[in-house]
């Protein structure tokens, strides 16, 4: 009998064994030649992952929230206007961060289960001159997928920098930073990138760097200031030793392993795999009468699912019993409805077998708690979807 549970929350995720093995390597100096090579290689690989060959990567010890903080601190000065597109909890966090640095923010909030209409975004952009537009590609609280490409096009049309929170999307959803004209994309290591928590990852466009260079005032955050970090990133990429703050040596060893694995799979193929598994999982969920938070397929993320508890079921008890079945899922995060839904992560190294385990545990607990449906239905629908997935959908 195994002594561990299957972790199926929207991050941290289940990690590949070779990534975890890299974490256990003997810690070396952060200016040792072998580490300089690894760090420099990671920075180069990230340009492929973000699809930003001319971008400037930053890899900093911290979380995805630090990456959000870095974007706001370096780009925004007091009184400048920022438009925030919010589809959940993390859109609100973006707003809080920009306001902390003195921004005058306008927030467009989507109704629960929906995205913000593009026409509404354009109407607001027409009314004023915004320094930046911030959006969440996949909001981890709702499982809503934003049309990042179209929103970035609007930002560019009206002269605003575009900032994308890709914490729950990068390396899981299709995202082409340079082709889509996105100025900043950021993420954390513990999501689809597939590395344990502890790294803030950010890719800045040439335009974003130029805007930062023209600031009138110093960046009001010492640790986040690109003036401290840019020379370090450039040095490592050029395979030269440098120092500002000690990097997370073992996490960066693990990052190299994971990034290489992602590149080997292929960015298009990886996004396709996530889409296929997510579609099959959603079909399995709805087949047993459960309701998803996203109201349409077009706005449903492929890296996690937000699912309402059946009205006749105690949600807290359901989660507890699923954990007793050796599967860990996440509770709700939106304050106004947090006790009405749960979340399942399906990103990174996730497999069909992992999602079948979730569906099996969920079915057993629902039946035990008296929810009526045909036993085995969700798993049968999942399998049928996987087996009959149209090849055209993977083109």
């Amino acid at each position: 009998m195994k002594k561990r549970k299957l972790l199926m929350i929207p991050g941290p995720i289940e990690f590949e064994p070779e990534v975890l093995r890299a974490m256990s390597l003997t810690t070396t100096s952060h200016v040792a030649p072998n580490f300089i090579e690894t760090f420099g290689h990671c920075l180069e690989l990230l340009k492929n992952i973000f699809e930003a060959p001319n971008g400037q990567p930053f890899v900093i010890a911290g979380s995805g929230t630090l990456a959000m903080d870095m974007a706001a601190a370096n780009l925004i000065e007091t009184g400048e206007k920022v438009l925030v597109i919010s589809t959940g909890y993390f859109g609100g966090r973006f707003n809080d961060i920009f306001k902390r640095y003195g921004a005058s923010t306008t927030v467009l909030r989507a109704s629960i289960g929906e995205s913000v209409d593009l026409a509404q975004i354009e109407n607001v952009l027409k009314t004023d001159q915004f320094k930046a537009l911030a959006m969440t590609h996949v909001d981890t609280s709702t499982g809503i997928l934003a049309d990042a490409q179209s929103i970035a096009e609007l930002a560019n049309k009206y002269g605003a920098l575009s900032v994308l929170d890709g914490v729950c999307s990068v390396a899981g959803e299709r995202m082409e930073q340079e082709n889509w004209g996105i100025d900043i994309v950021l993420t954390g290591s513990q999501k689809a990138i597939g590395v344990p928590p502890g790294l803030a990852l950010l890719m800045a466009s040439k335009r974003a760097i130029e805007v930062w260079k023209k600031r009138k005032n110093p960046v009001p955050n010492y640790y986040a200031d690109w003036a401290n970090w840019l020379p370090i990133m450039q040095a490592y990429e050029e395979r030269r030793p440098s120092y500002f703050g000690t990097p997370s040596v073992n996490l960066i060893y693990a990052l190299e392993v994971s990034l290489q694995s992602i590149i080997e799979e292929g960015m298009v193929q990886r996004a396709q795999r996530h889409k296929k598994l997510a579609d099959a999982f959603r079909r399995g969920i709805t087949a047993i009468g459960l309701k998803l938070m996203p109201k349409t397929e077009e706005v449903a993320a492929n890296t996690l699912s937000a699912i309402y508890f059946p009205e006749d079921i105690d949600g807290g008890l359901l989660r507890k019993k699923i954990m007793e079945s050796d599967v860990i899922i996440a509770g709700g995060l939106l304050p106004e409805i947090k006790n009405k839904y749960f979340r399942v992560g399906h990103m990174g190294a996730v497999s069909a077998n992992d999602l079948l385990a979730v569906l099996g545990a969920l079915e057993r607990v629902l039946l035990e708690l008296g929810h009526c449906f045909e036993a085995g239905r969700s798993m049968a629908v999942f399998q049928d979807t996987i087996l009959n997935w149209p090849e055209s959908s993977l083109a």
Side-chain angles (χ1 to χ4, degrees), residues 82-85 106 108 118-134 150-161:
V82 177
L83 177 59
V84 178
I85 312 302
T106 298
L108 290 180
L118 291 173
Q120 184 183 6
I121 296 171
E122 183 161 21
N123 285 338
V124 173
L125 287 169
K126 288 177 180 178
T127 65
D128 214 335
Q129 184 59 53
F130 291 92
K131 174 74 173 292
L133 179 154
S150 296
I151 296 173
E153 287 174 359
L154 287 175
N156 286 322
K157 180 178 178 180
Y158 291 95
L161 293 165

PDB file of all heavy atoms in Angstrom, residues 82-85 106 108 118-134 150-161:
ATOM      1  N   VAL A  82      -3.775  52.438 -15.255  1.00  0.00           N
ATOM      2  CA  VAL A  82      -3.696  51.019 -15.604  1.00  0.00           C
ATOM      3  C   VAL A  82      -5.104  50.460 -15.693  1.00  0.00           C
ATOM      4  O   VAL A  82      -5.938  50.697 -14.812  1.00  0.00           O
ATOM      5  CB  VAL A  82      -2.889  50.219 -14.558  1.00  0.00           C
ATOM      6  CG1 VAL A  82      -2.874  48.728 -14.904  1.00  0.00           C
ATOM      7  CG2 VAL A  82      -1.464  50.751 -14.452  1.00  0.00           C
ATOM      8  N   LEU A  83      -5.365  49.719 -16.762  1.00  0.00           N
ATOM      9  CA  LEU A  83      -6.630  49.008 -16.922  1.00  0.00           C
ATOM     10  C   LEU A  83      -6.412  47.554 -16.533  1.00  0.00           C
ATOM     11  O   LEU A  83      -5.546  46.884 -17.096  1.00  0.00           O
ATOM     12  CB  LEU A  83      -7.119  49.107 -18.363  1.00  0.00           C
ATOM     13  CG  LEU A  83      -8.410  48.356 -18.711  1.00  0.00           C
ATOM     14  CD1 LEU A  83      -9.580  48.842 -17.862  1.00  0.00           C
ATOM     15  CD2 LEU A  83      -8.727  48.484 -20.198  1.00  0.00           C
ATOM     16  N   VAL A  84      -7.190  47.071 -15.585  1.00  0.00           N
ATOM     17  CA  VAL A  84      -7.072  45.694 -15.106  1.00  0.00           C
ATOM     18  C   VAL A  84      -8.287  44.901 -15.563  1.00  0.00           C
ATOM     19  O   VAL A  84      -9.433  45.285 -15.281  1.00  0.00           O
ATOM     20  CB  VAL A  84      -6.964  45.638 -13.567  1.00  0.00           C
ATOM     21  CG1 VAL A  84      -6.886  44.184 -13.093  1.00  0.00           C
ATOM     22  CG2 VAL A  84      -5.743  46.414 -13.088  1.00  0.00           C
ATOM     23  N   ILE A  85      -8.048  43.803 -16.277  1.00  0.00           N
ATOM     24  CA  ILE A  85      -9.108  42.900 -16.714  1.00  0.00           C
ATOM     25  C   ILE A  85      -9.158  41.743 -15.722  1.00  0.00           C
ATOM     26  O   ILE A  85      -8.200  40.969 -15.622  1.00  0.00           O
ATOM     27  CB  ILE A  85      -8.844  42.366 -18.140  1.00  0.00           C
ATOM     28  CG1 ILE A  85      -8.477  43.513 -19.092  1.00  0.00           C
ATOM     29  CG2 ILE A  85     -10.044  41.579 -18.644  1.00  0.00           C
ATOM     30  CD1 ILE A  85      -9.507  44.604 -19.188  1.00  0.00           C
ATOM     31  N   THR A 106      -8.378  51.259 -13.311  1.00  0.00           N
ATOM     32  CA  THR A 106      -9.762  51.002 -13.710  1.00  0.00           C
ATOM     33  C   THR A 106      -9.891  49.490 -13.840  1.00  0.00           C
ATOM     34  O   THR A 106      -9.075  48.856 -14.518  1.00  0.00           O
ATOM     35  CB  THR A 106     -10.093  51.666 -15.058  1.00  0.00           C
ATOM     36  OG1 THR A 106      -9.939  53.083 -14.924  1.00  0.00           O
ATOM     37  CG2 THR A 106     -11.517  51.340 -15.486  1.00  0.00           C
ATOM     38  N   LEU A 108     -12.156  46.182 -14.937  1.00  0.00           N
ATOM     39  CA  LEU A 108     -13.306  45.567 -15.608  1.00  0.00           C
ATOM     40  C   LEU A 108     -13.430  44.150 -15.072  1.00  0.00           C
ATOM     41  O   LEU A 108     -12.573  43.306 -15.325  1.00  0.00           O
ATOM     42  CB  LEU A 108     -13.090  45.549 -17.126  1.00  0.00           C
ATOM     43  CG  LEU A 108     -13.128  46.904 -17.853  1.00  0.00           C
ATOM     44  CD1 LEU A 108     -12.897  46.707 -19.346  1.00  0.00           C
ATOM     45  CD2 LEU A 108     -14.452  47.604 -17.607  1.00  0.00           C
ATOM     46  N   LEU A 118     -14.704  41.758 -25.264  1.00  0.00           N
ATOM     47  CA  LEU A 118     -13.677  42.542 -25.946  1.00  0.00           C
ATOM     48  C   LEU A 118     -14.170  43.938 -26.311  1.00  0.00           C
ATOM     49  O   LEU A 118     -13.416  44.914 -26.229  1.00  0.00           O
ATOM     50  CB  LEU A 118     -13.209  41.811 -27.207  1.00  0.00           C
ATOM     51  CG  LEU A 118     -12.413  40.521 -26.990  1.00  0.00           C
ATOM     52  CD1 LEU A 118     -12.167  39.821 -28.318  1.00  0.00           C
ATOM     53  CD2 LEU A 118     -11.087  40.815 -26.298  1.00  0.00           C
ATOM     54  N   ALA A 119     -15.429  44.047 -26.698  1.00  0.00           N
ATOM     55  CA  ALA A 119     -15.975  45.359 -27.041  1.00  0.00           C
ATOM     56  C   ALA A 119     -15.987  46.274 -25.832  1.00  0.00           C
ATOM     57  O   ALA A 119     -15.730  47.489 -25.948  1.00  0.00           O
ATOM     58  CB  ALA A 119     -17.391  45.200 -27.606  1.00  0.00           C
ATOM     59  N   GLN A 120     -16.264  45.711 -24.663  1.00  0.00           N
ATOM     60  CA  GLN A 120     -16.247  46.503 -23.437  1.00  0.00           C
ATOM     61  C   GLN A 120     -14.834  47.002 -23.133  1.00  0.00           C
ATOM     62  O   GLN A 120     -14.641  48.156 -22.734  1.00  0.00           O
ATOM     63  CB  GLN A 120     -16.774  45.656 -22.267  1.00  0.00           C
ATOM     64  CG  GLN A 120     -16.892  46.409 -20.958  1.00  0.00           C
ATOM     65  CD  GLN A 120     -17.345  45.520 -19.804  1.00  0.00           C
ATOM     66  OE1 GLN A 120     -17.474  44.292 -19.966  1.00  0.00           O
ATOM     67  NE2 GLN A 120     -17.587  46.111 -18.650  1.00  0.00           N
ATOM     68  N   ILE A 121     -13.850  46.129 -23.343  1.00  0.00           N
ATOM     69  CA  ILE A 121     -12.459  46.529 -23.119  1.00  0.00           C
ATOM     70  C   ILE A 121     -12.079  47.666 -24.063  1.00  0.00           C
ATOM     71  O   ILE A 121     -11.489  48.674 -23.653  1.00  0.00           O
ATOM     72  CB  ILE A 121     -11.509  45.324 -23.312  1.00  0.00           C
ATOM     73  CG1 ILE A 121     -11.804  44.249 -22.261  1.00  0.00           C
ATOM     74  CG2 ILE A 121     -10.046  45.773 -23.233  1.00  0.00           C
ATOM     75  CD1 ILE A 121     -11.064  42.949 -22.501  1.00  0.00           C
ATOM     76  N   GLU A 122     -12.443  47.541 -25.330  1.00  0.00           N
ATOM     77  CA  GLU A 122     -12.081  48.574 -26.301  1.00  0.00           C
ATOM     78  C   GLU A 122     -12.777  49.891 -25.980  1.00  0.00           C
ATOM     79  O   GLU A 122     -12.174  50.964 -26.114  1.00  0.00           O
ATOM     80  CB  GLU A 122     -12.416  48.129 -27.720  1.00  0.00           C
ATOM     81  CG  GLU A 122     -11.988  49.150 -28.768  1.00  0.00           C
ATOM     82  CD  GLU A 122     -11.886  48.589 -30.161  1.00  0.00           C
ATOM     83  OE1 GLU A 122     -12.507  47.540 -30.424  1.00  0.00           O
ATOM     84  OE2 GLU A 122     -11.178  49.196 -30.996  1.00  0.00           O
ATOM     85  N   ASN A 123     -14.012  49.830 -25.551  1.00  0.00           N
ATOM     86  CA  ASN A 123     -14.735  51.061 -25.210  1.00  0.00           C
ATOM     87  C   ASN A 123     -14.029  51.827 -24.091  1.00  0.00           C
ATOM     88  O   ASN A 123     -13.964  53.053 -24.105  1.00  0.00           O
ATOM     89  CB  ASN A 123     -16.169  50.734 -24.802  1.00  0.00           C
ATOM     90  CG  ASN A 123     -17.038  50.382 -25.992  1.00  0.00           C
ATOM     91  OD1 ASN A 123     -16.738  50.747 -27.126  1.00  0.00           O
ATOM     92  ND2 ASN A 123     -18.127  49.661 -25.743  1.00  0.00           N
ATOM     93  N   VAL A 124     -13.492  51.093 -23.103  1.00  0.00           N
ATOM     94  CA  VAL A 124     -12.776  51.747 -22.008  1.00  0.00           C
ATOM     95  C   VAL A 124     -11.436  52.299 -22.491  1.00  0.00           C
ATOM     96  O   VAL A 124     -11.041  53.416 -22.131  1.00  0.00           O
ATOM     97  CB  VAL A 124     -12.582  50.780 -20.823  1.00  0.00           C
ATOM     98  CG1 VAL A 124     -11.695  51.401 -19.750  1.00  0.00           C
ATOM     99  CG2 VAL A 124     -13.935  50.387 -20.235  1.00  0.00           C
ATOM    100  N   LEU A 125     -10.731  51.525 -23.317  1.00  0.00           N
ATOM    101  CA  LEU A 125      -9.447  51.989 -23.841  1.00  0.00           C
ATOM    102  C   LEU A 125      -9.596  53.268 -24.665  1.00  0.00           C
ATOM    103  O   LEU A 125      -8.683  54.099 -24.720  1.00  0.00           O
ATOM    104  CB  LEU A 125      -8.792  50.893 -24.682  1.00  0.00           C
ATOM    105  CG  LEU A 125      -8.201  49.710 -23.914  1.00  0.00           C
ATOM    106  CD1 LEU A 125      -7.833  48.579 -24.867  1.00  0.00           C
ATOM    107  CD2 LEU A 125      -6.979  50.128 -23.107  1.00  0.00           C
ATOM    108  N   LYS A 126     -10.746  53.438 -25.303  1.00  0.00           N
ATOM    109  CA  LYS A 126     -11.001  54.636 -26.104  1.00  0.00           C
ATOM    110  C   LYS A 126     -11.154  55.890 -25.253  1.00  0.00           C
ATOM    111  O   LYS A 126     -10.930  57.000 -25.738  1.00  0.00           O
ATOM    112  CB  LYS A 126     -12.279  54.455 -26.927  1.00  0.00           C
ATOM    113  CG  LYS A 126     -12.177  53.497 -28.091  1.00  0.00           C
ATOM    114  CD  LYS A 126     -13.536  53.372 -28.761  1.00  0.00           C
ATOM    115  CE  LYS A 126     -13.502  52.420 -29.954  1.00  0.00           C
ATOM    116  NZ  LYS A 126     -14.837  52.257 -30.567  1.00  0.00           N
ATOM    117  N   THR A 127     -11.545  55.704 -23.991  1.00  0.00           N
ATOM    118  CA  THR A 127     -11.929  56.857 -23.167  1.00  0.00           C
ATOM    119  C   THR A 127     -10.751  57.577 -22.547  1.00  0.00           C
ATOM    120  O   THR A 127     -10.875  58.724 -22.127  1.00  0.00           O
ATOM    121  CB  THR A 127     -12.869  56.415 -22.031  1.00  0.00           C
ATOM    122  OG1 THR A 127     -12.157  55.544 -21.130  1.00  0.00           O
ATOM    123  CG2 THR A 127     -14.090  55.694 -22.580  1.00  0.00           C
ATOM    124  N   ASP A 128      -9.582  56.916 -22.457  1.00  0.00           N
ATOM    125  CA  ASP A 128      -8.466  57.513 -21.736  1.00  0.00           C
ATOM    126  C   ASP A 128      -7.155  56.926 -22.248  1.00  0.00           C
ATOM    127  O   ASP A 128      -7.152  55.949 -23.002  1.00  0.00           O
ATOM    128  CB  ASP A 128      -8.613  57.242 -20.239  1.00  0.00           C
ATOM    129  CG  ASP A 128      -8.085  58.369 -19.369  1.00  0.00           C
ATOM    130  OD1 ASP A 128      -7.210  59.115 -19.861  1.00  0.00           O
ATOM    131  OD2 ASP A 128      -8.537  58.503 -18.227  1.00  0.00           O
ATOM    132  N   GLN A 129      -6.048  57.515 -21.818  1.00  0.00           N
ATOM    133  CA  GLN A 129      -4.735  56.999 -22.188  1.00  0.00           C
ATOM    134  C   GLN A 129      -4.168  56.185 -21.031  1.00  0.00           C
ATOM    135  O   GLN A 129      -3.778  56.738 -19.998  1.00  0.00           O
ATOM    136  CB  GLN A 129      -3.771  58.134 -22.535  1.00  0.00           C
ATOM    137  CG  GLN A 129      -2.404  57.657 -23.013  1.00  0.00           C
ATOM    138  CD  GLN A 129      -2.487  56.765 -24.256  1.00  0.00           C
ATOM    139  OE1 GLN A 129      -3.097  57.157 -25.250  1.00  0.00           O
ATOM    140  NE2 GLN A 129      -1.898  55.589 -24.192  1.00  0.00           N
ATOM    141  N   PHE A 130      -4.141  54.873 -21.196  1.00  0.00           N
ATOM    142  CA  PHE A 130      -3.641  53.978 -20.156  1.00  0.00           C
ATOM    143  C   PHE A 130      -2.178  53.640 -20.409  1.00  0.00           C
ATOM    144  O   PHE A 130      -1.779  53.348 -21.535  1.00  0.00           O
ATOM    145  CB  PHE A 130      -4.469  52.689 -20.109  1.00  0.00           C
ATOM    146  CG  PHE A 130      -5.872  52.884 -19.609  1.00  0.00           C
ATOM    147  CD1 PHE A 130      -6.919  53.131 -20.500  1.00  0.00           C
ATOM    148  CD2 PHE A 130      -6.146  52.850 -18.257  1.00  0.00           C
ATOM    149  CE1 PHE A 130      -8.208  53.309 -20.039  1.00  0.00           C
ATOM    150  CE2 PHE A 130      -7.441  53.034 -17.784  1.00  0.00           C
ATOM    151  CZ  PHE A 130      -8.476  53.271 -18.683  1.00  0.00           C
ATOM    152  N   LYS A 131      -1.400  53.660 -19.346  1.00  0.00           N
ATOM    153  CA  LYS A 131       0.012  53.263 -19.450  1.00  0.00           C
ATOM    154  C   LYS A 131       0.123  51.756 -19.701  1.00  0.00           C
ATOM    155  O   LYS A 131       0.977  51.301 -20.466  1.00  0.00           O
ATOM    156  CB  LYS A 131       0.741  53.618 -18.148  1.00  0.00           C
ATOM    157  CG  LYS A 131       2.196  53.136 -18.046  1.00  0.00           C
ATOM    158  CD  LYS A 131       3.123  53.939 -18.911  1.00  0.00           C
ATOM    159  CE  LYS A 131       4.596  53.587 -18.687  1.00  0.00           C
ATOM    160  NZ  LYS A 131       5.091  53.997 -17.363  1.00  0.00           N
ATOM    161  N   ALA A 132      -0.743  50.994 -19.045  1.00  0.00           N
ATOM    162  CA  ALA A 132      -0.661  49.539 -19.154  1.00  0.00           C
ATOM    163  C   ALA A 132      -2.036  48.907 -19.026  1.00  0.00           C
ATOM    164  O   ALA A 132      -2.960  49.490 -18.442  1.00  0.00           O
ATOM    165  CB  ALA A 132       0.270  48.976 -18.083  1.00  0.00           C
ATOM    166  N   LEU A 133      -2.142  47.721 -19.585  1.00  0.00           N
ATOM    167  CA  LEU A 133      -3.321  46.868 -19.422  1.00  0.00           C
ATOM    168  C   LEU A 133      -2.843  45.558 -18.820  1.00  0.00           C
ATOM    169  O   LEU A 133      -1.926  44.933 -19.364  1.00  0.00           O
ATOM    170  CB  LEU A 133      -4.008  46.636 -20.768  1.00  0.00           C
ATOM    171  CG  LEU A 133      -5.257  45.742 -20.772  1.00  0.00           C
ATOM    172  CD1 LEU A 133      -6.176  46.113 -21.949  1.00  0.00           C
ATOM    173  CD2 LEU A 133      -4.908  44.254 -20.850  1.00  0.00           C
ATOM    174  N   ALA A 134      -3.435  45.152 -17.716  1.00  0.00           N
ATOM    175  CA  ALA A 134      -3.051  43.914 -17.038  1.00  0.00           C
ATOM    176  C   ALA A 134      -4.181  42.902 -17.123  1.00  0.00           C
ATOM    177  O   ALA A 134      -5.352  43.259 -16.953  1.00  0.00           O
ATOM    178  CB  ALA A 134      -2.705  44.185 -15.575  1.00  0.00           C
ATOM    179  N   SER A 150      -6.237  38.510 -28.311  1.00  0.00           N
ATOM    180  CA  SER A 150      -7.112  39.602 -28.740  1.00  0.00           C
ATOM    181  C   SER A 150      -7.018  40.804 -27.809  1.00  0.00           C
ATOM    182  O   SER A 150      -7.049  41.959 -28.250  1.00  0.00           O
ATOM    183  CB  SER A 150      -8.566  39.116 -28.814  1.00  0.00           C
ATOM    184  OG  SER A 150      -8.702  38.112 -29.794  1.00  0.00           O
ATOM    185  N   ILE A 151      -6.885  40.550 -26.505  1.00  0.00           N
ATOM    186  CA  ILE A 151      -6.776  41.654 -25.545  1.00  0.00           C
ATOM    187  C   ILE A 151      -5.456  42.392 -25.735  1.00  0.00           C
ATOM    188  O   ILE A 151      -5.398  43.625 -25.685  1.00  0.00           O
ATOM    189  CB  ILE A 151      -6.924  41.130 -24.103  1.00  0.00           C
ATOM    190  CG1 ILE A 151      -8.317  40.535 -23.892  1.00  0.00           C
ATOM    191  CG2 ILE A 151      -6.693  42.262 -23.093  1.00  0.00           C
ATOM    192  CD1 ILE A 151      -8.507  39.829 -22.554  1.00  0.00           C
ATOM    193  N   ALA A 152      -4.383  41.645 -25.997  1.00  0.00           N
ATOM    194  CA  ALA A 152      -3.091  42.287 -26.249  1.00  0.00           C
ATOM    195  C   ALA A 152      -3.139  43.130 -27.516  1.00  0.00           C
ATOM    196  O   ALA A 152      -2.531  44.217 -27.580  1.00  0.00           O
ATOM    197  CB  ALA A 152      -1.998  41.223 -26.364  1.00  0.00           C
ATOM    198  N   GLU A 153      -3.846  42.667 -28.525  1.00  0.00           N
ATOM    199  CA  GLU A 153      -3.998  43.451 -29.753  1.00  0.00           C
ATOM    200  C   GLU A 153      -4.683  44.784 -29.466  1.00  0.00           C
ATOM    201  O   GLU A 153      -4.297  45.829 -30.016  1.00  0.00           O
ATOM    202  CB  GLU A 153      -4.790  42.652 -30.792  1.00  0.00           C
ATOM    203  CG  GLU A 153      -4.009  41.506 -31.409  1.00  0.00           C
ATOM    204  CD  GLU A 153      -4.857  40.634 -32.322  1.00  0.00           C
ATOM    205  OE1 GLU A 153      -6.068  40.931 -32.456  1.00  0.00           O
ATOM    206  OE2 GLU A 153      -4.324  39.675 -32.899  1.00  0.00           O
ATOM    207  N   LEU A 154      -5.687  44.762 -28.597  1.00  0.00           N
ATOM    208  CA  LEU A 154      -6.369  46.000 -28.224  1.00  0.00           C
ATOM    209  C   LEU A 154      -5.428  46.926 -27.457  1.00  0.00           C
ATOM    210  O   LEU A 154      -5.414  48.138 -27.681  1.00  0.00           O
ATOM    211  CB  LEU A 154      -7.604  45.689 -27.382  1.00  0.00           C
ATOM    212  CG  LEU A 154      -8.797  45.084 -28.124  1.00  0.00           C
ATOM    213  CD1 LEU A 154      -9.900  44.706 -27.147  1.00  0.00           C
ATOM    214  CD2 LEU A 154      -9.330  46.061 -29.171  1.00  0.00           C
ATOM    215  N   ALA A 155      -4.645  46.353 -26.546  1.00  0.00           N
ATOM    216  CA  ALA A 155      -3.694  47.166 -25.794  1.00  0.00           C
ATOM    217  C   ALA A 155      -2.717  47.857 -26.741  1.00  0.00           C
ATOM    218  O   ALA A 155      -2.451  49.058 -26.619  1.00  0.00           O
ATOM    219  CB  ALA A 155      -2.941  46.303 -24.788  1.00  0.00           C
ATOM    220  N   ASN A 156      -2.197  47.117 -27.694  1.00  0.00           N
ATOM    221  CA  ASN A 156      -1.267  47.690 -28.663  1.00  0.00           C
ATOM    222  C   ASN A 156      -1.928  48.754 -29.529  1.00  0.00           C
ATOM    223  O   ASN A 156      -1.339  49.795 -29.833  1.00  0.00           O
ATOM    224  CB  ASN A 156      -0.680  46.584 -29.548  1.00  0.00           C
ATOM    225  CG  ASN A 156       0.352  45.735 -28.830  1.00  0.00           C
ATOM    226  OD1 ASN A 156       1.135  46.249 -28.050  1.00  0.00           O
ATOM    227  ND2 ASN A 156       0.349  44.438 -29.071  1.00  0.00           N
ATOM    228  N   LYS A 157      -3.172  48.512 -29.908  1.00  0.00           N
ATOM    229  CA  LYS A 157      -3.912  49.461 -30.744  1.00  0.00           C
ATOM    230  C   LYS A 157      -4.032  50.818 -30.071  1.00  0.00           C
ATOM    231  O   LYS A 157      -3.978  51.863 -30.740  1.00  0.00           O
ATOM    232  CB  LYS A 157      -5.303  48.887 -31.051  1.00  0.00           C
ATOM    233  CG  LYS A 157      -6.180  49.779 -31.904  1.00  0.00           C
ATOM    234  CD  LYS A 157      -7.524  49.104 -32.187  1.00  0.00           C
ATOM    235  CE  LYS A 157      -8.435  49.996 -33.004  1.00  0.00           C
ATOM    236  NZ  LYS A 157      -9.755  49.346 -33.280  1.00  0.00           N
ATOM    237  N   TYR A 158      -4.178  50.808 -28.741  1.00  0.00           N
ATOM    238  CA  TYR A 158      -4.385  52.053 -28.009  1.00  0.00           C
ATOM    239  C   TYR A 158      -3.154  52.483 -27.211  1.00  0.00           C
ATOM    240  O   TYR A 158      -3.235  53.317 -26.328  1.00  0.00           O
ATOM    241  CB  TYR A 158      -5.618  51.923 -27.111  1.00  0.00           C
ATOM    242  CG  TYR A 158      -6.893  51.844 -27.924  1.00  0.00           C
ATOM    243  CD1 TYR A 158      -7.449  50.606 -28.255  1.00  0.00           C
ATOM    244  CD2 TYR A 158      -7.507  52.988 -28.401  1.00  0.00           C
ATOM    245  CE1 TYR A 158      -8.602  50.523 -29.028  1.00  0.00           C
ATOM    246  CE2 TYR A 158      -8.660  52.919 -29.172  1.00  0.00           C
ATOM    247  CZ  TYR A 158      -9.198  51.685 -29.491  1.00  0.00           C
ATOM    248  OH  TYR A 158     -10.341  51.605 -30.268  1.00  0.00           O
ATOM    249  N   GLY A 159      -2.000  51.905 -27.545  1.00  0.00           N
ATOM    250  CA  GLY A 159      -0.740  52.383 -26.998  1.00  0.00           C
ATOM    251  C   GLY A 159      -0.458  52.029 -25.562  1.00  0.00           C
ATOM    252  O   GLY A 159       0.341  52.705 -24.899  1.00  0.00           O
ATOM    253  N   ALA A 160      -1.070  50.975 -25.052  1.00  0.00           N
ATOM    254  CA  ALA A 160      -0.839  50.550 -23.670  1.00  0.00           C
ATOM    255  C   ALA A 160       0.090  49.340 -23.640  1.00  0.00           C
ATOM    256  O   ALA A 160       0.008  48.460 -24.502  1.00  0.00           O
ATOM    257  CB  ALA A 160      -2.155  50.202 -22.984  1.00  0.00           C
ATOM    258  N   LEU A 161       0.980  49.293 -22.661  1.00  0.00           N
ATOM    259  CA  LEU A 161       1.756  48.085 -22.414  1.00  0.00           C
ATOM    260  C   LEU A 161       0.813  46.966 -21.990  1.00  0.00           C
ATOM    261  O   LEU A 161      -0.160  47.208 -21.268  1.00  0.00           O
ATOM    262  CB  LEU A 161       2.782  48.330 -21.311  1.00  0.00           C
ATOM    263  CG  LEU A 161       3.920  49.310 -21.599  1.00  0.00           C
ATOM    264  CD1 LEU A 161       4.600  49.695 -20.291  1.00  0.00           C
ATOM    265  CD2 LEU A 161       4.922  48.704 -22.572  1.00  0.00           C
TER     266      LEU A 161
END
